[in-house]
Amino acid sequence: MTATNPFLGHSLRHPRLSASEAAEIAQTVFGLEGDATELGSQQDQNFRIDGHRGSHVLKVANPAFSPAELDLQNRAMEHLASRLRERVPVALRTPDGRDVVPIDHHGEHLHVRLLPFIEGTPLRAFGYLAPPVLGAAGELAGRIAAELASFEHPAAERTLQWNVRAAADVVAALAPEVRDPDRRAMVERTMERALETLASGASALREQIIHGDVNGWNLLAERDRAGRPSPCGVIDFGDVSQSWTAAECAVLACGVAEHAPAAPLQAAVEIVRGFHAVMPLEEVEVAALPALIAARAALSAVSCDQQLLLAPESEYVAESFEAGWTRLVTIASIPFPLAHAAFREACGLTRLTRPMPVATAAMIEGVPARAVSVDLSVDTDALAFGSWRDPAAIKRVVEADPQAVAIGRYGERRMVHDVGPELGEPATVHLGIDLFAGPGTPTMAPLAGRVTRATGQELLLSVQDGVTLRLAGLEFRWTTGDLIAAGDEIGRVAPVAQDSRLPAHVHVQLVHGAVDDPPGLVPASIAAAWSAICPDPAPVLGLQPAAARTDSAATLGRRRRFVATSQILYYPSDPPEIERGWRQWLYDVDGRPYLDVVNNVAVVGHSHPRVEAAAARQLRRLNTNSRFLYDAMGRFGERLASLLPDPLEVVYLVNSGSEANDLALRLARETSGRDGVVCLEDSYHGWTGATNELLHPLHDRVLALVKPNPCTGQHRDDPAALASYARAAVATIERRVADGHPPAAFICEPYLGNSGGVTLPDGYLRAVYAAIRDVGGICIADEVQVGYGRLGRHFWAFEQQGVVPDVVTIAKATGNGHPVAAVITTHELAERFAAKTDIFSSVGGTPVSCEVALAVLDVLEEEHLQENAVRVGDHLTACLDPFVGRFDSVGALHGIGLYRGLELVRDAESRAPAPAQAAAICDRMRSLGVIVQPTGKHANVLKLKPPLCVTCDDIDFLTEALELTLDAGW
Ligand code: PMP
């Protein structure tokens, strides 16, 4: 084959013109004046010409390409330019109408063309490509293929090194030239595998003219509103030729692997999904795609090697050389059957049914008769308070029933491998069944088979054509090639490995098709595809198949159907289903942990055992309404009073922050006999009628003061000018009083939690409180979000301003998520209010609520969580403060302690709020294992208010995730 191979015959060494020669050609041939700069190219020579008529590209074709091939490219560009909304270059013509022009360069006959320079950044220059970006790129590749399907040209059937259709010949010709023997072996093995798949199906693949090189170099993108790349153009038509339709998709799916080395298949799936949506792939094409992608990766790796030999000095070639080999390594690691299953799912094709082997012998005594499933998933009730990380606790669960053989379920999303949040998606989905049995337990072969691998404690048995049984956790004496009969003792259960959380067990897994290293656990995002090739091995063990858990789509469907849409969701388009919390972590239904940066409600951490015990104990004893006398209510009132300065000592207990503020406003209005309330603009104090009116004043009884904002406000960066906020506020109040409307009250957060943790200017509340009190008004401090020790150096936010309010409202942290809230005021005000009305809130301050609230205060104190807020908050400052200035999009780090806000702006100069970016950044942070959400008037401030048990390590993790996001894009 090598002797007749066309790719060895001609070297694709590109022409060698100087920049000044290029500039001269542009002028003499096309009448275009300008300076020339060389651009990279594998086989041609390209120059950017910048002059008063804008920017153009002079393309000097490799002499290996005929004028007809260059015409093919020009016509293909024209064809697409008129059909795509994205930018496509169209060759300019000389005054006499030619768009391919022969020239003589030192005796060499070359052809030149002039194209407009297309603005945009190559997609590959954007580090991270989010799933919707990949989908959009796949869709553009699909539209290119769809439009080119109607394009014809006599030169289309050309021999081209980069055509996937020619990959077998190219690799055969060039692989022997690869200098590194490991690389050579890998590329040959990859191509061999691809050819095996293509041997049967290639003749059925649709053919047409394709662009042939739609990849990250040639797709141009611009940032959209959210700061994500959005494909806006396609360039470089040098590889246009007749090929397989599916190759257009395969080239891009191969190319994006370098953007997602940890999850290349998930990236390819997004490309295929996008492509298929506009250019539906046929079933045979979907089946061929894994091989086409691998063939493309092999082809480009060997071609890069060859180009490096030809042009060792070219930076462009050197860069693409290493990228080509890295991509091949990544792609070669994806089993074809897995990719096929994933692509079928992406294209909405049904799962392929496969023959299932059925048990012919029992594996372990007692199975199936005494088999009992144990729950090691996120739903387990047997493991709590982090005990899923404790091997002894797991052992107790597994051994709970001494008569039973415990079974670890197939398809289970496991909690028991939890090590806390990680940047990458953890492998949590179990692809086999675990049979728990003591070390040394005899184990029989359930089926006859031939040993295809015997390493360590893992045995692979070929049990049927294309079906492998994987057994792990066994001690045995087999070697590859041995034949085992059903019912033979296959080995004995191995002792537990030191690093294993699970007690001794045999892992039983079925594998369909050629998969070198089948994993026992896989990430949830790729679990459906894996389950197509590793189906439930229950029949092999004589067990009933595992019941599937309700999936998150059904959970979401039910919520959308039966719960008001105005009860909004975080991540509304694709909310994670969160089913467990522990300390500062939240766990989704797949068992993935996230660092919870948003939950100030769970102030002492999720599922705190002290809080749970207090609630459970009191629920067993008594829970009733507050018109009965019981001790807990007075004890909690006394405890709250002890935390507040004099004269704040009388408590009303309700259920939410909204109610607390509503009651505080009523107290002020009824005791003063006035109606007017002063607040800060854009301030949320609750959803009740009276509190909602503060956010949306419809009536002039609400006076909203300008809210101080040191980052984007009019006095930003000027401490002296910040003081003017207080002066302006006082003047506004005085005007209102002069108009004959002295207010009943002033309400605000003494530290602006809902703006993202903004500290009020020094002296602000002193001035405003004085102005309000001067006219007999009442000062209400809404400590619902910001009180309770979160600020670290202050238990109450009003302390930071050096004031004592007349009324304080608390909620959220008060019950660590249990609905208990309070209004605290002075005796004098409480007596005046009591003279007007009684207050009865049925389940405000129940015995359970009060015990929970007392437990929260105990934990805060005993675990020194306020001190932790100082220490960890200072660490947060040290980690994130440098981001201001380092990243253009970070405008400010607000706040103190563990109530912080990272303000995202469009650029450092304008500091215009960047809400779309903030939302996209939160999505990216979620994919990296951090739950964070925007807040503020413009929803552009990331609120950082984790449970107070958060550690410096967690802040390091947050910093790492944020840095990666801001550096590599979102
Ligand atoms: N006040 C402030 C400052 C708040 O942030 C909130 C809730 N975000 C409330 C009051 C209302 O509290 P709840 O949701 O418990 O009704």
Side-chain angles (χ1 to χ4, degrees):
M1 183 183 243
T2 316
T4 56
N5 194 301
F7 305 105
L8 279 187
H10 64 246
S11 110
L12 284 174
R13 197 178 196 303
H14 64 65
R16 297 283 179 89
L17 268 68
S18 67
S20 59
E21 286 169 327
E24 196 188 321
I25 292 167
Q27 203 201 343
T28 52
V29 178
F30 293 98
L32 184 81
E33 256 180 70
D35 297 330
T37 328
E38 182 157 6
L39 302 169
S41 168
Q42 286 254 359
Q43 45 203 24
D44 301 328
Q45 223 189 346
N46 295 334
F47 293 92
R48 179 173 167 151
I49 312 286
D50 292 301
H52 67 277
R53 280 167 55 195
S55 297
H56 292 78
V57 179
L58 184 78
K59 291 183 81 73
V60 188
N62 189 301
F65 300 128
S66 66
E69 288 176 277
L70 301 179
D71 184 68
L72 161 70
Q73 295 177 29
N74 285 359
R75 301 291 76 77
M77 287 190 273
E78 258 172 16
H79 184 87
L80 282 181
S82 61
R83 289 169 171 82
L84 295 180
R85 57 174 181 269
E86 289 80 5
R87 298 170 207 144
V88 179
V90 174
L92 275 76
R93 293 186 184 270
T94 56
D96 60 355
R98 292 171 303 160
D99 62 3
V100 176
V101 186
I103 58 157
D104 185 274
H105 179 248
H106 305 308
E108 194 177 15
H109 297 292
L110 298 170
H111 288 91
V112 294
R113 290 175 295 151
L114 187 69
L115 308 180
F117 182 85
I118 302 292
E119 292 296 337
T121 308
L123 195 61
R124 73 183 297 275
F126 299 86
Y128 169 74
L129 303 180
V133 176
L134 292 166
E139 196 220 284
L140 178 52
R143 282 189 284 118
I144 290 169
E147 296 299 353
L148 286 177
S150 62
F151 173 63
E152 288 179 1
H153 194 279
E157 275 293 354
R158 60 191 188 129
T159 306
L160 191 73
Q161 175 165 350
W162 293 92
N163 191 338
V164 179
R165 225 175 33 164
D169 290 340
V170 177
V171 174
L174 300 183
E177 315 282 315
V178 173
R179 283 146 293 169
D180 179 328
D182 292 341
R183 287 183 167 183
R184 194 185 322 130
M186 179 177 51
V187 79
E188 285 174 344
R189 211 172 43 243
T190 306
M191 197 60 226
E192 224 171 85
R193 276 203 304 149
L195 282 177
E196 275 167 28
T197 304
L198 292 175
S200 54
S203 60
L205 299 178
R206 278 181 296 173
E207 295 199 359
Q208 65 167 84
I209 294 177
I210 63 169
H211 176 286
D213 202 15
V214 177
N215 63 15
W217 295 88
N218 297 331
L219 282 183
L220 301 180
E222 289 169 336
R223 288 196 190 277
D224 64 12
R225 272 183 50 246
R228 283 181 170 154
S230 165
C232 66
V234 57
I235 57 169
D236 192 351
F237 284 65
D239 293 345
V240 169
S241 73
Q242 187 75 9
S243 186
W244 291 310
T245 303
E248 196 85 289
C249 182
V251 168
L252 183 57
C254 172
V256 296
E258 73 186 87
H259 289 273
L265 181 54
Q266 285 92 325
V269 161
E270 297 305 329
I271 298 295
V272 173
R273 201 195 312 278
F275 189 96
H276 182 76
V278 290
M279 180 64 172
L281 290 158
E282 296 176 355
E283 213 156 330
V284 284
E285 293 172 325
V286 177
L289 266 179
L292 297 181
I293 294 170
R296 169 70 179 192
L299 160 75
S300 42
V302 291
S303 299
C304 289
D305 231 54
Q306 180 207 30
Q307 290 293 322
L308 195 66
L309 276 179
L310 293 173
E313 76 291 350
S314 160
E315 270 176 41
Y316 176 91
V317 170
E319 193 187 333
S320 51
F321 169 81
E322 266 321 309
W325 283 103
T326 311
R327 201 165 49 229
L328 178 63
V329 172
T330 308
I331 284 173
S333 70
I334 304 171
F336 284 5
L338 175 68
H340 183 202
F343 296 156
R344 281 188 72 87
E345 198 193 333
C347 296
L349 297 172
T350 53
R351 187 176 277 207
L352 294 173
T353 54
R354 296 192 158 102
M356 276 295 289
V358 176
T360 51
M363 258 192 95
I364 277 186
E365 217 245 291
V367 175
R370 289 184 289 113
V372 172
S373 291
V374 287
D375 189 346
L376 305 176
S377 78
V378 71
D379 297 322
T380 181
D381 282 323
L383 297 163
F385 310 131
S387 67
W388 50 85
R389 294 179 175 186
D390 172 11
I394 298 170
K395 195 161 190 283
R396 282 196 293 279
V397 172
V398 165
E399 293 176 354
D401 180 352
Q403 304 307 316
V405 180
I407 303 288
R409 299 176 301 172
Y410 170 82
E412 181 169 71
R413 273 94 171 115
R414 287 194 162 169
M415 282 290 281
V416 287
H417 304 288
D418 167 40
V419 289
E422 297 169 285
L423 292 180
E425 190 188 359
T428 56
V429 185
H430 192 223
L431 288 182
I433 290 179
D434 288 337
L435 304 177
F436 291 98
T441 306
T443 307
M444 314 305 153
L447 301 160
R450 186 175 49 81
V451 177
T452 56
R453 190 163 71 198
T455 45
Q457 298 176 346
E458 186 186 28
L459 203 57
L460 295 189
L461 283 184
S462 168
V463 290
Q464 175 173 308
D465 193 22
V467 184
T468 301
L469 185 66
R470 174 174 181 252
L471 302 173
L474 276 182
E475 287 185 325
F476 53 77
R477 295 217 187 135
W478 306 100
T479 51
T480 305
D482 286 349
L483 292 175
I484 302 180
D488 275 0
E489 182 172 308
I490 202 167
R492 291 184 175 241
V493 176
V496 189
Q498 236 182 359
D499 58 351
S500 171
R501 290 222 179 124
L502 300 186
H505 66 276
V506 186
H507 170 91
V508 183
Q509 183 174 355
L510 276 177
V511 187
H512 283 281
V515 180
D516 288 344
D517 259 317
L521 289 159
V522 294
S525 65
I526 203 73
W530 269 112
S531 68
I533 53 174
C534 294
D536 188 349
V540 172
L541 300 166
L543 294 166
Q544 289 302 311
R549 189 192 187 282
T550 312
D551 71 3
S552 293
T555 304
L556 180 60
R558 197 157 37 223
R559 163 105 174 214
R560 290 210 167 123
R561 166 78 180 77
F562 294 108
V563 178
T565 42
S566 49
Q567 291 221 285
I568 49 175
L569 284 163
Y570 288 138
Y571 311 99
S573 60
D574 173 30
E577 184 181 348
I578 301 293
E579 296 290 359
R580 190 173 281 266
W582 166 237
R583 298 184 61 81
Q584 61 275 36
W585 305 295
L586 288 171
Y587 294 82
D588 71 13
V589 71
D590 296 319
R592 178 171 191 181
Y594 298 89
L595 177 64
D596 179 5
V597 182
V598 92
N599 260 290
N600 54 338
V601 174
V603 65
V604 298
H606 295 281
S607 308
H608 197 290
R610 286 281 297 275
V611 177
E612 188 254 12
R617 184 169 154 270
Q618 191 56 46
L619 273 170
R620 282 196 299 265
R621 282 196 190 183
L622 171 72
N623 200 29
T624 186
N625 74 59
S626 58
R627 294 179 85 166
F628 288 101
L629 173 67
Y630 45 85
D631 190 40
M633 201 165 179
R635 273 191 288 123
F636 179 48
E638 182 180 27
R639 184 79 172 267
L640 274 182
S642 75
L643 291 166
L644 283 153
D646 289 340
L648 294 166
E649 58 177 343
V650 182
V651 170
Y652 301 81
L653 291 174
V654 290
N655 296 108
S656 69
S658 303
E659 283 177 80
N661 284 329
D662 196 288
L663 179 57
L665 292 173
R666 198 174 141 203
L667 186 150
R669 284 182 167 133
E670 295 209 14
T671 53
S672 67
R674 301 174 187 165
D675 212 20
V677 174
V678 181
C679 61
L680 300 187
E681 63 183 359
D682 305 310
S683 291
Y684 185 79
H685 294 284
W687 53 263
T688 64
T691 51
N692 184 51
E693 200 185 322
L694 303 175
L695 186 60
H696 305 289
L698 291 174
H699 193 283
D700 64 7
R701 67 180 185 162
V702 171
L703 172 64
L705 304 174
V706 171
K707 187 184 263 186
N709 183 342
C711 175
T712 48
Q714 83 194 99
H715 300 303
R716 68 188 206 198
D717 300 334
D718 181 354
L722 275 176
S724 69
Y725 278 112
R727 283 196 300 276
V730 170
T732 309
I733 294 164
E734 283 170 354
R735 267 200 305 282
R736 180 58 64 103
V737 173
D739 289 345
H741 302 292
F746 168 67
I747 180 169
C748 81
E749 290 189 273
Y751 165 91
L752 306 180
N754 283 316
S755 300
V758 177
T759 316
L760 286 167
D762 282 348
Y764 183 85
L765 281 192
R766 251 200 311 273
V768 176
Y769 276 21
I772 293 291
R773 284 171 173 157
D774 272 356
V775 294
I778 289 163
C779 297
I780 305 168
D782 179 342
E783 296 271 352
V784 167
Q785 291 237 82
V786 294
Y788 255 56
R790 176 162 293 280
L791 300 189
R793 292 185 169 84
H794 315 283
F795 190 85
W796 302 110
F798 59 74
E799 294 166 24
Q800 193 272 335
Q801 283 281 306
V803 293
V804 175
D806 306 305
V807 180
V808 171
T809 57
I810 59 170
K812 300 203 183 212
T814 318
N816 205 55
H818 177 89
V820 54
V823 178
I824 308 110
T825 188
T826 63
H827 251 298
E828 191 245 318
L829 272 175
E831 289 311 315
R832 271 164 52 198
F833 192 37
K836 301 242 170 194
T837 184
D838 293 333
I839 295 294
F840 172 51
S841 163
S842 297
V843 289
T846 63
V848 169
S849 295
C850 292
E851 290 296 351
V852 164
L854 283 161
V856 170
L857 287 172
D858 287 344
V859 175
L860 270 176
E861 222 172 273
E862 287 164 25
E863 296 185 5
H864 308 290
L865 295 181
Q866 190 181 340
E867 291 88 323
N868 196 52
V870 174
R871 210 168 47 83
V872 180
D874 285 350
H875 185 64
L876 187 149
T877 307
C879 289
L880 297 188
D881 220 24
F883 283 16
V884 186
R886 177 173 158 201
F887 296 107
D888 234 22
S889 45
V890 178
L893 174 68
H894 299 297
I896 44 180
L898 285 176
Y899 202 120
R900 313 303 289 267
L902 196 72
E903 180 138 9
L904 298 173
V905 292
R906 278 205 239 131
D907 53 79
E909 186 43 36
S910 75
R911 296 204 210 166
Q917 276 101 318
I921 285 171
C922 289
D923 284 347
R924 175 60 176 147
M925 291 292 281
R926 168 189 165 189
S927 79
L928 293 171
V930 178
I931 301 281
V932 61
Q933 286 290 309
T935 186
K937 180 181 179 186
H938 304 286
N940 69 316
V941 186
L942 302 188
K943 46 186 164 186
L944 311 173
K945 48 189 180 95
L948 293 188
C949 55
V950 73
T951 66
C952 290
D953 284 350
D954 294 315
I955 299 304
D956 289 343
F957 177 69
L958 165 70
T959 306
E960 195 183 352
L962 204 49
E963 188 169 30
L964 180 62
T965 303
L966 295 170
D967 254 340
W970 50 88

